[in-house]
Structure formats: structure tokens, C-alpha cells
Amino acid sequence: MNTGSDAQIEVRECKISDLGKSIGDKVRIRGWLYVKNTVGGISFLRVRDSSGIVQVVVRREKVGEDVFEQVDKLKRESSLIIEGVVKMDERAPGGVELGAESLRIQSPSLEDYPLRRELSSNVVWKYRHLFIRSRIMNTVLKLRSSLSNLFRKWLLEHDFYEVNAPSIVTAATEGGAKMFEVKYFDKKAFLTQSSQFYLEGAIFSLEKVFCFQPSFRAEESKTRRHLSEYWHLEVEASNMDFQGLLQMEEDMLTSVIEEFYNKHKDEIKRFNPGFKPFEKPFKKITYTQAVELLKSNGVDIEWGRDLGVREERMVATIFGQPVFITHYPKEVRAFYHMPDPENPSVVLSADLVVWPYGEIAGGGQRIDDYRMLFERIVESGYNPEDYAWYLDLRKYGSVPHSGFGLGFERLLAHILHLPSIKYAIPYPRTQTIVYP
Ligand code: 4AD
Ligand code: MG
């Protein structure tokens, strides 16, 4: 029953980005003080919440002497609850402003906010817990959340199951030198470099699987493309051969990135005006062709040496788009890669390289034969006992299978043209950054 009692109607809570839909209404916002400027008896506050920024006009006569004096002393980032009437104002950012009728200081900042506009990079890393409040990081983190959801959505729609793999493991997948040891267990244990082997185990139950979780690399990380802990999107499927893998990777990436781009065109363009969604089919060249191409461009490289970021970037620049480099020499790839039946000195592997980050995804067809895998483990200098459970997968109903791993921060940093992948993650971990 409608009692008709207007006085009891609650003031509506509103996100700042929605204020434009409430012109003339009285609303309540909750946010943090961004900038303050007092002229005469009026304070102009810029207040931010997760959705945006709005100018709030605070008049002495509206909010009272006490509150006005407190507002005048407020430091940046103080948290506020403000009720007021939304007005159109073309000069204001966002096209609206809020005329405060009441203002509550939830918690005043106790000290001057340590982050100013002129940020030296050291300050950014030390105050990372505060830096993520910045407008730039607010947008990057929203885009990151959206992109990971779009990958999940695509994979689930294509009948992949999400599987969770352990972070603490007992053996290397990508070479023992880059492992973080965890001292606690009876056995030697490490933080995982990749969940691939666990996904391989899961395909025998679920057939098509993926995971999105951190991988850990104790490697030289003073570059703009290395983190000690990064988010790894890994996909694995049974009865998928090498060609099927390339097709799947291409379909997923083009479709997810197109959807991402269409959804967030304005933000993406603000970061990277020249960005164009990936187009099918991707360029593909073999490692051997890449070496020839690099040599003809004056690069000093011999067949058999792995490609570094300089070479990968050059290949991506020559083609002007993402490129699959395939069929690497088996010596420069991990032991689990399937040798090419037509030329066993190379393996059925593919790295996707882009400008400027180089490799953003790597994968291939896996060895599915017990004997062959056993021999490759020995040849590569590892102890087959450390891989007993992984070898088991080839003992009980082995099937051809393939998969890949995508460095999520590298892809996001590429799309947004960020100066380092450290900006693509809220709390980066590198050799020199473990705090906060
Ligand atoms: O090429 P990687 O080492 O391959 C693997 O780990 C496979 N087991 C993946 C698989 O097939 N399931 O790593 C895969 C991707 C790279 O292409 C790169 O994008 C990213 O992970 N990556 C890193 N990203 C940030 N920081 C690091 N230190 C990275 N190392 C690799
Ligand atoms: Mg790789």
C-alpha cells in the first residue's frame, strides 16, 4: 500500500558515472576526495568513486559553518558521503556537478597523500597500494577484469572446463634454473612455472580444460616483460593436433580481443590510439624461415639458437601484426614437445609474437608416447623418477593432445601499449619488488 509519505523516501545511492541520468534529483554518493579548491564561501571538490569523478560544489550556507570549516581542512583521499542535487554543467568533467546539501566525512586522511602528479617510478612501486587508486590504474584494472572474464566466457562457451592446479609442485616444466624452492615438505618442492602437466592429467577426465592462475619464474626480471609471478591462461585439449591447436588459439584470441575492443573502444583508444584487433588468419612462419628473414635484415643469428625478444620483436615489426613462429629446434624447447614426424630435429611448437613484447603465448603438441617421452626426459638431463606421474599419463590410454599458455599481462600490456607489464597487474612481483 502506498502511504504517500514522501518524507520517508530514502535518498537514492548513485554511482558517479550514473549521475548524468539523475539530473534534478537528490542523490547520495560515496567517494574519496581527489582535488579541492576553495574560493570565498564555496569549496569545489573533485570526488572519485570506482566509476568516475564529479565536481561537488559545497556552499557554507548549505552545509553549515562547522562542516564547511572541516571540508576546508580536508586532505586528499579523505572518504566522504555526500547528498546533493545533480545539475547539468557543460564545463564540468562528465557534464554534471553535484550541489552538496549535506556532507559527512567518513574518515579524514591523517597525513598528506604521498602520491602527487609528478611521480617518480620508485614512489609508484613503494606506494603501489595507493597507486592503484589512480585514474590510470582504475581503468587498467577494470579492463583487466573484463578481459579475463571474456576469455573465461569464450572457453566455457566452447566446452572447456576450468580446472584448478596446485601452485606448489615437485618438478620443473620449463627448466630447473627458474624455480622458486619452497622449504617445508619432505620432498623438494617449488612454486609452479606452469600448470600444463596438471592440465594434461585433467584432459583424461574432462577432455577440454583451461586454468587461469599464477605461474612463478625466478628469472632475470629487470626487463619490462618479466614478472616473478604472472597470470597464466593455459589451455589443453585431447585429440587436438598441432594444426587444430593453432586454429583454436587464433579463433579464441581474435574473437575475445574483438569483443574486448568493441566493449571498451574509448578506453583502449585512449591508451593506444593505433590499436587494431587481431585479424584472422595469423601470419605463420617456421623458425627456420624466421632465422633466414632475420639474417637478411642484418641480424647475427645462427640456426639452433633460441630467439630473444629483439628478434621476436623484429619479426612482428616486419609483418606488422601478430605472427606464429613454428617448428623450433628441439634443443631450444622443453622436453615434452612432439618432434615433427617430417623433420624430427624440430618440434611441433608455436610462439605467438607481437610488438613490442615479443612472445605472448607459447604452446604445441605434446609427446603422447611413453617411450619417446621417457627418452626425451633423460636426453634433457632430467631424472624420469621426478616425472613418474607425468609419464603415467602415457601409460593408461594415451591420446594425441596439445595446449598452450598465454602471458595475460603481456597481452594486456600489448593491447594498451603500457610501458611495462608491471602496469598490467595490481601488485607486481619482480626481483626487486615484493612489497607491498
Ligand atoms: O613459454 P612459456 O614458458 O611456456 C609454458 O610455460 C608452457 N608450459 C605453457 C603451456 O603450453 N601450457 O610461458 C608461456 C607464456 C609466455 O608465452 C609468456 O607470454 C608468459 O607465459 N611468460 C611470462 N609472462 C610474464 N613474466 C614472465 N616471467 C613470463 N614467462 C613467461
Ligand atoms: Mg615460451
Side-chain angles (χ1 to χ4, degrees):
M1 192 176 75
N2 186 350
T3 61
S5 163
D6 280 353
Q8 283 169 8
I9 291 176
E10 274 278 302
V11 176
R12 190 162 45 84
E13 295 262 343
C14 198
K15 284 290 165 218
I16 287 174
S17 60
D18 286 336
L19 289 174
K21 296 179 212 150
S22 303
I23 307 289
D25 295 352
K26 184 166 172 183
V27 297
R28 182 189 306 123
I29 61 167
R30 291 167 195 265
W32 290 265
L33 178 62
Y34 192 57
V35 187
K36 188 189 70 201
N37 191 9
T38 305
V39 190
I42 307 180
S43 268
F44 296 94
L45 314 182
R46 293 248 231 129
V47 176
R48 64 165 190 87
D49 70 4
S50 61
S51 72
I53 296 195
V54 68
Q55 172 156 290
V56 178
V57 184
V58 184
R59 290 172 200 276
R60 193 188 292 269
E61 68 273 16
K62 283 269 186 193
V63 296
E65 191 67 33
D66 262 13
V67 172
F68 193 82
E69 289 307 316
Q70 287 174 35
V71 167
D72 198 37
K73 294 195 194 79
L74 278 184
K75 297 184 193 302
R76 186 171 159 189
E77 288 303 307
S78 299
S79 51
L80 309 170
I81 300 176
I82 305 166
E83 290 181 6
V85 177
V86 185
K87 285 192 214 122
M88 199 121 82
D89 182 353
E90 263 149 37
R91 293 158 308 168
V96 294
E97 68 173 30
L98 191 68
E101 302 204 334
S102 74
L103 185 149
R104 203 175 109 209
I105 299 162
Q106 255 191 320
S107 176
S109 290
L110 305 181
E111 293 173 19
D112 282 336
Y113 193 60
L115 296 180
R116 280 162 237 279
R117 268 176 204 285
E118 327 57 50
L119 294 169
S120 82
S121 57
N122 284 343
V123 173
V124 170
W125 308 127
K126 181 171 161 202
Y127 291 108
R128 190 68 180 197
H129 51 302
L130 303 180
F131 180 55
I132 56 172
R133 303 179 183 195
S134 65
R135 299 319 292 163
I136 286 190
M137 285 306 293
N138 171 277
T139 309
V140 170
L141 295 181
K142 283 179 186 168
L143 292 173
R144 180 182 166 105
S145 165
S146 175
L147 185 60
S148 62
N149 281 316
L150 291 174
F151 274 117
R152 253 204 191 92
K153 181 165 93 97
W154 191 94
L155 286 158
L156 295 172
E157 279 169 2
H158 288 78
D159 303 324
F160 285 82
Y161 291 96
E162 181 162 9
V163 168
N164 307 123
S167 293
I168 302 171
V169 301
T170 55
T173 63
E174 310 301 317
K178 299 174 177 176
M179 301 282 276
F180 288 104
E181 195 175 338
V182 181
K183 290 207 168 83
Y184 174 78
F185 302 93
D186 299 341
K187 264 175 163 313
K188 249 188 191 294
F190 308 91
L191 295 181
T192 193
Q193 296 173 306
S194 157
S195 302
Q196 177 195 320
F197 291 1
Y198 293 90
L199 292 186
E200 285 185 66
I203 60 164
F204 293 93
S205 173
L206 300 168
E207 300 193 20
K208 293 167 81 176
V209 295
F210 74 97
C211 68
F212 182 52
Q213 58 189 72
S215 282
F216 302 87
R217 303 287 169 105
E219 63 196 343
E220 173 54 57
S221 57
K222 290 185 197 99
T223 78
R224 61 168 157 164
R225 67 175 202 150
H226 286 101
L227 293 168
S228 312
E229 176 178 7
Y230 70 95
W231 280 72
H232 204 171
L233 179 70
E234 298 190 87
V235 179
E236 200 73 28
S238 61
N239 294 304
M240 182 164 74
D241 66 5
F242 184 54
Q243 289 311 322
L245 172 78
L246 297 185
Q247 191 61 54
M248 187 253 145
E249 226 177 307
E250 183 179 290
D251 286 346
M252 180 183 80
L253 280 164
T254 48
S255 144
V256 167
I257 293 172
E258 191 187 339
E259 196 174 347
F260 182 61
Y261 182 73
N262 290 337
K263 228 172 144 179
H264 306 287
K265 204 175 278 171
D266 293 345
E267 291 99 319
I268 294 171
K269 288 263 177 202
R270 233 182 297 135
F271 280 94
N272 186 0
F275 181 74
K276 287 194 203 74
F278 294 5
E279 274 173 25
K280 280 200 266 196
F282 288 175
K283 290 281 173 225
K284 296 179 189 70
I285 60 168
T286 65
Y287 164 88
T288 305
Q289 289 167 330
V291 167
E292 288 312 312
L293 182 70
L294 289 163
K295 276 187 176 162
S296 68
N297 279 273
V299 178
D300 180 21
I301 182 165
E302 286 311 314
W303 194 97
R305 213 182 74 200
D306 203 2
L307 307 181
V309 64
R310 271 188 53 240
E311 288 95 25
E312 291 169 354
R313 191 183 292 151
M314 189 168 208
V315 171
T317 307
I318 291 168
F319 286 97
Q321 54 180 292
V323 184
F324 268 132
I325 305 180
T326 66
H327 301 85
Y328 281 80
K330 73 174 198 281
E331 286 74 18
V332 299
R333 280 296 168 267
F335 61 78
Y336 53 73
H337 283 99
M338 174 75 98
D340 181 357
E342 283 163 27
N343 173 11
S345 65
V346 299
V347 290
L348 299 179
S349 73
D351 280 5
L352 186 66
V353 304
V354 300
W355 188 89
Y357 284 103
E359 176 192 347
I360 56 166
Q365 187 166 336
R366 322 304 190 187
I367 295 177
D368 53 61
D369 176 73
Y370 179 87
R371 212 55 256 161
M372 189 190 281
L373 184 62
F374 189 95
E375 277 159 22
R376 282 295 293 139
I377 290 174
V378 174
E379 249 172 56
S380 307
Y382 296 107
N383 181 354
E385 274 171 29
D386 291 341
Y387 295 92
W389 75 264
Y390 185 59
L391 280 159
D392 261 1
L393 303 178
R394 278 73 179 164
K395 269 191 196 164
Y396 306 107
S398 191
V399 286
H401 63 283
S402 305
F404 71 92
L406 169 90
F408 188 68
E409 288 80 16
R410 287 198 189 168
L411 174 65
L412 186 60
H414 165 73
I415 295 175
L416 299 182
H417 199 12
L418 302 176
S420 159
I421 68 170
K422 285 184 293 208
Y423 291 95
I425 186 165
Y427 299 103
R429 292 290 174 257
T430 70
Q431 219 168 32
T432 54
I433 304 170
V434 286
Y435 171 97

Coordinates of all heavy atoms in Angstrom, one line a residue, residues 256-318:
V256 N 38.0 -13.1 -28.8 CA 38.0 -12.4 -27.4 C 38.4 -11.0 -27.6 O 37.9 -10.0 -27.0 CB 38.9 -13.2 -26.4 CG1 39.1 -12.4 -25.2 CG2 38.2 -14.5 -26.1
I257 N 39.5 -10.8 -28.4 CA 40.0 -9.4 -28.5 C 39.1 -8.5 -29.2 O 38.9 -7.3 -28.9 CB 41.4 -9.4 -29.1 CG1 42.4 -10.1 -28.1 CG2 41.9 -8.0 -29.4 CD1 43.8 -10.3 -28.6
E258 N 38.4 -9.0 -30.2 CA 37.4 -8.2 -30.9 C 36.2 -7.8 -29.9 O 35.8 -6.6 -29.9 CB 36.8 -9.0 -32.1 CG 36.0 -8.1 -33.0 CD 35.2 -8.8 -34.1 OE1 35.7 -10.0 -34.4 OE2 34.3 -8.3 -34.6
E259 N 35.8 -8.7 -29.1 CA 34.7 -8.4 -28.2 C 35.2 -7.4 -27.2 O 34.5 -6.4 -26.8 CB 34.2 -9.7 -27.5 CG 32.9 -9.5 -26.8 CD 32.3 -10.8 -26.3 OE1 32.8 -11.9 -26.6 OE2 31.3 -10.6 -25.5
F260 N 36.4 -7.6 -26.7 CA 37.0 -6.7 -25.7 C 37.1 -5.3 -26.3 O 36.8 -4.3 -25.7 CB 38.4 -7.2 -25.4 CG 39.2 -6.4 -24.4 CD1 38.7 -6.2 -23.1 CD2 40.4 -5.9 -24.7 CE1 39.4 -5.5 -22.1 CE2 41.2 -5.2 -23.8 CZ 40.7 -5.0 -22.5
Y261 N 37.6 -5.2 -27.6 CA 37.8 -3.9 -28.3 C 36.4 -3.2 -28.4 O 36.3 -2.0 -28.2 CB 38.4 -4.1 -29.6 CG 38.7 -2.9 -30.4 CD1 39.7 -2.0 -30.0 CD2 38.0 -2.5 -31.5 CE1 40.0 -0.9 -30.6 CE2 38.2 -1.4 -32.2 CZ 39.3 -0.6 -31.8 OH 39.5 0.6 -32.4
N262 N 35.4 -4.0 -28.9 CA 34.1 -3.4 -29.1 C 33.5 -2.8 -27.8 O 32.8 -1.8 -27.8 CB 33.2 -4.3 -29.8 CG 33.6 -4.6 -31.2 OD1 34.3 -3.8 -31.9 ND2 33.2 -5.8 -31.8
K263 N 33.8 -3.5 -26.8 CA 33.2 -3.2 -25.5 C 33.9 -1.9 -24.9 O 33.2 -1.2 -24.1 CB 33.4 -4.3 -24.5 CG 32.2 -4.7 -23.7 CD 32.4 -6.0 -23.0 CE 31.6 -5.8 -21.7 NZ 31.7 -7.0 -20.8
H264 N 35.2 -1.8 -25.1 CA 35.9 -0.7 -24.4 C 36.7 0.1 -25.4 O 37.8 0.6 -25.0 CB 36.9 -1.4 -23.4 CG 36.3 -2.4 -22.5 ND1 35.5 -2.0 -21.4 CD2 36.3 -3.7 -22.4 CE1 35.1 -3.0 -20.8 NE2 35.6 -4.1 -21.4
K265 N 36.1 0.4 -26.6 CA 36.9 1.1 -27.6 C 37.5 2.4 -27.1 O 38.7 2.7 -27.3 CB 36.0 1.3 -28.8 CG 36.7 1.5 -30.1 CD 35.7 1.7 -31.2 CE 35.3 0.3 -31.7 NZ 34.2 0.3 -32.7
D266 N 36.7 3.2 -26.4 CA 37.1 4.5 -26.0 C 38.3 4.4 -25.0 O 39.3 5.2 -25.2 CB 36.0 5.3 -25.3 CG 34.9 5.6 -26.3 OD1 35.1 5.5 -27.5 OD2 33.8 6.0 -25.8
E267 N 38.2 3.6 -24.0 CA 39.3 3.4 -23.1 C 40.6 2.9 -23.8 O 41.7 3.4 -23.6 CB 39.0 2.5 -21.9 CG 38.0 3.0 -21.0 CD 36.6 2.4 -21.3 OE1 36.2 2.3 -22.5 OE2 35.9 2.0 -20.4
I268 N 40.4 1.9 -24.6 CA 41.6 1.3 -25.3 C 42.2 2.3 -26.2 O 43.5 2.5 -26.2 CB 41.2 0.0 -26.1 CG1 40.7 -1.1 -25.1 CG2 42.3 -0.5 -26.9 CD1 40.0 -2.3 -25.8
K269 N 41.4 3.1 -26.9 CA 42.0 4.1 -27.8 C 42.7 5.2 -27.0 O 43.7 5.7 -27.5 CB 40.9 4.8 -28.6 CG 40.3 3.9 -29.7 CD 40.9 4.2 -31.0 CE 40.4 3.2 -32.1 NZ 41.2 3.0 -33.2
R270 N 42.3 5.5 -25.8 CA 42.9 6.5 -25.0 C 44.4 6.0 -24.7 O 45.3 6.8 -24.7 CB 42.2 6.8 -23.7 CG 41.9 8.3 -23.6 CD 41.2 8.6 -22.3 NE 39.8 8.0 -22.2 CZ 39.4 7.4 -21.2 NH1 40.1 7.2 -20.1 NH2 38.1 6.9 -21.2
F271 N 44.5 4.7 -24.4 CA 45.8 4.2 -24.1 C 46.7 4.0 -25.4 O 47.8 4.2 -25.4 CB 45.7 2.8 -23.4 CG 45.4 2.9 -21.9 CD1 44.1 2.9 -21.5 CD2 46.4 3.1 -21.0 CE1 43.8 3.0 -20.1 CE2 46.2 3.2 -19.7 CZ 44.8 3.1 -19.2
N272 N 46.0 3.5 -26.4 CA 46.7 3.0 -27.6 C 45.9 3.3 -28.8 O 45.2 2.5 -29.4 CB 46.9 1.5 -27.5 CG 47.8 0.9 -28.6 OD1 48.3 1.7 -29.5 ND2 48.0 -0.4 -28.6
P273 N 46.1 4.6 -29.3 CA 45.2 5.1 -30.4 C 45.3 4.2 -31.6 O 44.4 4.1 -32.4 CB 45.7 6.5 -30.7 CG 46.5 6.9 -29.4 CD 47.0 5.7 -28.8
G274 N 46.5 3.6 -31.8 CA 46.7 2.8 -33.1 C 46.3 1.4 -33.0 O 46.4 0.6 -34.0
F275 N 45.7 1.0 -31.9 CA 45.4 -0.5 -31.7 C 44.3 -1.0 -32.7 O 43.3 -0.4 -32.8 CB 45.0 -0.8 -30.3 CG 44.8 -2.3 -30.1 CD1 45.9 -3.2 -30.1 CD2 43.5 -2.8 -30.1 CE1 45.7 -4.6 -30.0 CE2 43.3 -4.2 -29.9 CZ 44.4 -5.1 -29.9
K276 N 44.6 -2.1 -33.3 CA 43.6 -2.8 -34.2 C 43.4 -4.2 -33.7 O 44.4 -4.9 -33.4 CB 44.1 -2.8 -35.6 CG 44.0 -1.5 -36.3 CD 44.2 -1.7 -37.8 CE 44.7 -0.5 -38.5 NZ 46.1 -0.2 -38.3
P277 N 42.2 -4.7 -33.5 CA 42.0 -6.1 -33.1 C 42.8 -7.0 -34.0 O 43.0 -6.7 -35.2 CB 40.5 -6.3 -33.2 CG 39.9 -4.9 -33.1 CD 40.9 -4.0 -33.8
F278 N 43.2 -8.2 -33.5 CA 43.9 -9.2 -34.3 C 43.0 -9.7 -35.4 O 41.8 -9.8 -35.2 CB 44.3 -10.4 -33.4 CG 45.3 -10.1 -32.3 CD1 45.7 -8.8 -32.1 CD2 45.8 -11.1 -31.5 CE1 46.7 -8.5 -31.0 CE2 46.7 -10.8 -30.5 CZ 47.2 -9.5 -30.3
E279 N 43.6 -9.9 -36.5 CA 42.8 -10.5 -37.7 C 43.2 -11.9 -38.0 O 44.4 -12.2 -38.0 CB 43.0 -9.5 -38.9 CG 42.1 -8.4 -38.8 CD 42.3 -7.4 -39.9 OE1 42.9 -7.8 -41.0 OE2 42.0 -6.2 -39.7
K280 N 42.2 -12.6 -38.5 CA 42.5 -14.0 -38.9 C 42.8 -14.0 -40.4 O 42.2 -13.1 -41.1 CB 41.2 -14.9 -38.7 CG 41.0 -15.4 -37.3 CD 40.1 -16.6 -37.3 CE 38.7 -16.2 -37.0 NZ 37.8 -17.3 -36.7
P281 N 43.5 -14.8 -41.0 CA 44.4 -15.8 -40.3 C 45.7 -15.1 -39.8 O 46.1 -14.1 -40.4 CB 44.7 -16.8 -41.4 CG 44.7 -16.1 -42.7 CD 43.6 -15.0 -42.5
F282 N 46.3 -15.6 -38.7 CA 47.5 -15.1 -38.3 C 48.6 -15.4 -39.3 O 48.6 -16.5 -39.9 CB 47.9 -15.7 -36.9 CG 47.1 -15.2 -35.7 CD1 47.3 -15.8 -34.5 CD2 46.2 -14.2 -35.9 CE1 46.6 -15.3 -33.4 CE2 45.4 -13.8 -34.8 CZ 45.6 -14.4 -33.5
K283 N 49.6 -14.6 -39.4 CA 50.8 -14.9 -40.2 C 51.5 -16.1 -39.5 O 51.6 -16.1 -38.3 CB 51.7 -13.7 -40.3 CG 51.2 -12.6 -41.1 CD 51.4 -12.9 -42.6 CE 50.7 -11.8 -43.4 NZ 50.0 -12.4 -44.6
K284 N 52.0 -17.0 -40.3 CA 52.8 -18.1 -39.7 C 54.1 -18.3 -40.5 O 54.1 -18.3 -41.7 CB 52.0 -19.4 -39.9 CG 50.7 -19.4 -39.1 CD 49.9 -20.7 -39.3 CE 48.5 -20.6 -38.8 NZ 47.6 -19.7 -39.5
I285 N 55.2 -18.3 -39.7 CA 56.4 -18.7 -40.4 C 57.1 -19.7 -39.5 O 56.9 -19.7 -38.3 CB 57.4 -17.5 -40.7 CG1 57.8 -16.8 -39.4 CG2 56.8 -16.6 -41.7 CD1 58.9 -15.8 -39.6
T286 N 58.0 -20.6 -40.1 CA 58.7 -21.5 -39.3 C 59.9 -20.8 -38.7 O 60.3 -19.7 -39.2 CB 59.2 -22.7 -40.1 OG1 60.2 -22.2 -41.1 CG2 58.1 -23.4 -40.9
Y287 N 60.4 -21.4 -37.6 CA 61.6 -20.9 -37.0 C 62.7 -20.7 -38.1 O 63.4 -19.7 -38.1 CB 62.1 -21.9 -35.9 CG 63.5 -21.6 -35.4 CD1 63.8 -20.7 -34.4 CD2 64.6 -22.3 -36.0 CE1 65.1 -20.5 -34.0 CE2 65.9 -22.1 -35.6 CZ 66.1 -21.2 -34.6 OH 67.4 -21.0 -34.2
T288 N 62.9 -21.8 -38.9 CA 64.0 -21.7 -40.0 C 63.8 -20.5 -40.9 O 64.7 -19.8 -41.2 CB 64.0 -23.1 -40.7 OG1 64.1 -24.1 -39.8 CG2 65.1 -23.1 -41.7
Q289 N 62.5 -20.3 -41.3 CA 62.3 -19.1 -42.1 C 62.5 -17.8 -41.4 O 63.0 -16.8 -41.9 CB 60.8 -19.1 -42.6 CG 60.5 -20.2 -43.6 CD 59.0 -20.4 -43.8 OE1 58.2 -20.1 -42.9 NE2 58.6 -20.8 -45.0
A290 N 62.2 -17.8 -40.1 CA 62.4 -16.6 -39.3 C 63.9 -16.3 -39.2 O 64.3 -15.1 -39.3 CB 61.8 -16.8 -37.9
V291 N 64.7 -17.4 -39.0 CA 66.2 -17.1 -39.0 C 66.7 -16.5 -40.3 O 67.5 -15.6 -40.3 CB 66.9 -18.5 -38.6 CG1 68.4 -18.3 -38.9 CG2 66.6 -18.9 -37.2
E292 N 66.2 -17.1 -41.4 CA 66.6 -16.5 -42.7 C 66.2 -15.1 -42.8 O 67.0 -14.2 -43.3 CB 66.0 -17.3 -43.9 CG 66.6 -18.7 -44.1 CD 68.1 -18.7 -44.1 OE1 68.7 -17.9 -44.8 OE2 68.7 -19.5 -43.3
L293 N 64.9 -14.8 -42.4 CA 64.4 -13.4 -42.5 C 65.3 -12.5 -41.7 O 65.6 -11.3 -42.1 CB 63.0 -13.4 -42.0 CG 62.2 -12.1 -42.0 CD1 61.9 -11.7 -43.5 CD2 60.9 -12.3 -41.2
L294 N 65.6 -12.9 -40.5 CA 66.4 -12.1 -39.6 C 67.8 -11.8 -40.1 O 68.3 -10.7 -40.1 CB 66.5 -12.7 -38.2 CG 65.2 -12.7 -37.4 CD1 65.2 -13.7 -36.2 CD2 64.9 -11.3 -36.8
K295 N 68.4 -12.9 -40.7 CA 69.7 -12.7 -41.3 C 69.7 -11.7 -42.4 O 70.5 -10.9 -42.6 CB 70.2 -14.1 -41.9 CG 70.8 -15.0 -40.8 CD 71.4 -16.2 -41.5 CE 72.2 -17.1 -40.6 NZ 72.3 -18.4 -41.2
S296 N 68.6 -11.8 -43.3 CA 68.6 -10.9 -44.4 C 68.3 -9.5 -43.9 O 68.4 -8.6 -44.7 CB 67.5 -11.4 -45.4 OG 66.2 -11.2 -44.8
N297 N 67.9 -9.3 -42.7 CA 67.8 -8.0 -42.1 C 68.9 -7.6 -41.2 O 68.8 -6.7 -40.4 CB 66.5 -7.9 -41.3 CG 65.3 -7.7 -42.2 OD1 64.9 -6.6 -42.6 ND2 64.6 -8.8 -42.7
G298 N 70.0 -8.3 -41.4 CA 71.3 -7.9 -40.8 C 71.5 -8.4 -39.3 O 72.4 -8.0 -38.6
V299 N 70.6 -9.4 -38.9 CA 70.7 -9.9 -37.5 C 71.8 -11.0 -37.5 O 71.7 -11.9 -38.4 CB 69.4 -10.4 -37.0 CG1 69.6 -10.9 -35.6 CG2 68.4 -9.2 -37.0
D300 N 72.6 -11.0 -36.5 CA 73.7 -12.0 -36.4 C 73.1 -13.2 -35.6 O 73.1 -13.2 -34.4 CB 74.9 -11.4 -35.7 CG 76.0 -12.4 -35.5 OD1 76.0 -13.3 -36.3 OD2 76.8 -12.1 -34.6
I301 N 72.5 -14.2 -36.3 CA 71.9 -15.3 -35.7 C 72.2 -16.6 -36.4 O 72.2 -16.6 -37.7 CB 70.4 -15.1 -35.5 CG1 69.8 -16.3 -34.7 CG2 69.7 -14.9 -36.8 CD1 68.5 -16.1 -34.1
E302 N 72.5 -17.7 -35.7 CA 72.7 -19.0 -36.3 C 71.5 -19.9 -36.0 O 70.9 -19.8 -35.0 CB 74.0 -19.6 -35.8 CG 75.3 -19.0 -36.2 CD 75.3 -18.8 -37.8 OE1 74.9 -19.8 -38.5 OE2 75.6 -17.7 -38.2
W303 N 71.2 -20.8 -37.0 CA 70.2 -21.8 -36.8 C 70.5 -22.6 -35.5 O 71.6 -23.0 -35.3 CB 70.1 -22.7 -38.0 CG 68.8 -23.5 -38.0 CD1 67.7 -23.2 -38.7 CD2 68.5 -24.8 -37.3 NE1 66.7 -24.2 -38.5 CE2 67.2 -25.1 -37.6 CE3 69.3 -25.6 -36.4 CZ2 66.6 -26.3 -37.1 CZ3 68.7 -26.7 -35.9 CH2 67.4 -27.1 -36.3
G304 N 69.5 -22.8 -34.7 CA 69.8 -23.6 -33.5 C 69.8 -22.7 -32.2 O 69.6 -23.2 -31.1
R305 N 69.9 -21.4 -32.4 CA 69.9 -20.5 -31.2 C 68.4 -20.1 -31.0 O 67.7 -19.8 -31.9 CB 70.8 -19.3 -31.4 CG 71.5 -18.8 -30.2 CD 72.3 -17.6 -30.5 NE 71.4 -16.4 -30.7 CZ 71.8 -15.3 -31.3 NH1 73.0 -15.2 -31.8 NH2 70.9 -14.3 -31.4
D306 N 68.0 -20.0 -29.7 CA 66.7 -19.5 -29.4 C 66.5 -18.0 -29.8 O 67.5 -17.3 -29.8 CB 66.3 -19.7 -28.0 CG 64.8 -19.8 -27.7 OD1 64.0 -19.8 -28.7 OD2 64.4 -20.0 -26.6
L307 N 65.3 -17.6 -30.1 CA 65.1 -16.2 -30.4 C 64.9 -15.4 -29.2 O 64.2 -15.9 -28.2 CB 63.9 -16.1 -31.3 CG 63.8 -16.9 -32.6 CD1 62.5 -16.6 -33.4 CD2 65.0 -16.6 -33.5
G308 N 65.5 -14.3 -29.1 CA 65.3 -13.4 -27.9 C 64.2 -12.4 -28.3 O 63.7 -12.3 -29.4
V309 N 64.0 -11.5 -27.3 CA 62.9 -10.5 -27.5 C 63.2 -9.6 -28.7 O 62.3 -9.2 -29.5 CB 62.6 -9.7 -26.2 CG1 63.8 -8.8 -25.8 CG2 61.4 -8.8 -26.4
R310 N 64.5 -9.3 -28.9 CA 64.9 -8.4 -30.0 C 64.4 -9.0 -31.4 O 63.9 -8.4 -32.2 CB 66.4 -8.1 -30.1 CG 66.8 -6.9 -29.2 CD 68.3 -6.6 -29.4 NE 68.6 -6.4 -30.8 CZ 69.6 -7.1 -31.5 NH1 70.2 -8.0 -30.8 NH2 69.8 -6.9 -32.7
E311 N 64.8 -10.3 -31.5 CA 64.5 -11.0 -32.7 C 62.9 -11.2 -32.9 O 62.4 -11.0 -34.0 CB 65.1 -12.4 -32.8 CG 66.6 -12.3 -33.0 CD 67.5 -12.4 -31.7 OE1 66.9 -12.9 -30.7 OE2 68.6 -11.8 -31.7
E312 N 62.3 -11.5 -31.8 CA 60.8 -11.7 -31.9 C 60.1 -10.4 -32.3 O 59.2 -10.4 -33.1 CB 60.3 -12.2 -30.5 CG 60.7 -13.6 -30.1 CD 60.4 -13.9 -28.7 OE1 59.9 -13.0 -27.9 OE2 60.6 -15.1 -28.3
R313 N 60.6 -9.3 -31.7 CA 60.0 -8.0 -32.0 C 60.2 -7.6 -33.4 O 59.4 -7.1 -34.1 CB 60.7 -7.0 -31.1 CG 60.0 -5.6 -31.0 CD 60.8 -4.7 -30.2 NE 60.8 -5.1 -28.8 CZ 61.8 -4.8 -27.9 NH1 62.9 -4.2 -28.3 NH2 61.6 -5.1 -26.6
M314 N 61.4 -8.0 -33.9 CA 61.7 -7.6 -35.3 C 60.8 -8.4 -36.3 O 60.3 -7.8 -37.2 CB 63.2 -8.0 -35.6 CG 63.7 -7.5 -37.0 SD 65.5 -7.6 -37.0 CE 65.9 -6.4 -38.0
V315 N 60.6 -9.7 -36.0 CA 59.7 -10.5 -36.9 C 58.3 -9.8 -36.8 O 57.6 -9.6 -37.9 CB 59.6 -11.9 -36.4 CG1 58.5 -12.7 -37.1 CG2 61.0 -12.6 -36.6
A316 N 57.8 -9.5 -35.6 CA 56.5 -8.9 -35.5 C 56.4 -7.6 -36.2 O 55.4 -7.2 -36.9 CB 56.1 -8.7 -34.0
T317 N 57.5 -6.8 -36.2 CA 57.5 -5.5 -36.9 C 57.5 -5.7 -38.4 O 56.8 -4.9 -39.1 CB 58.8 -4.7 -36.5 OG1 58.9 -4.7 -35.1 CG2 58.8 -3.3 -37.0
I318 N 58.3 -6.6 -38.9 CA 58.3 -6.9 -40.3 C 56.9 -7.2 -40.9 O 56.5 -6.7 -41.9 CB 59.3 -8.0 -40.7 CG1 60.8 -7.5 -40.4 CG2 59.2 -8.4 -42.2 CD1 61.8 -8.5 -40.4

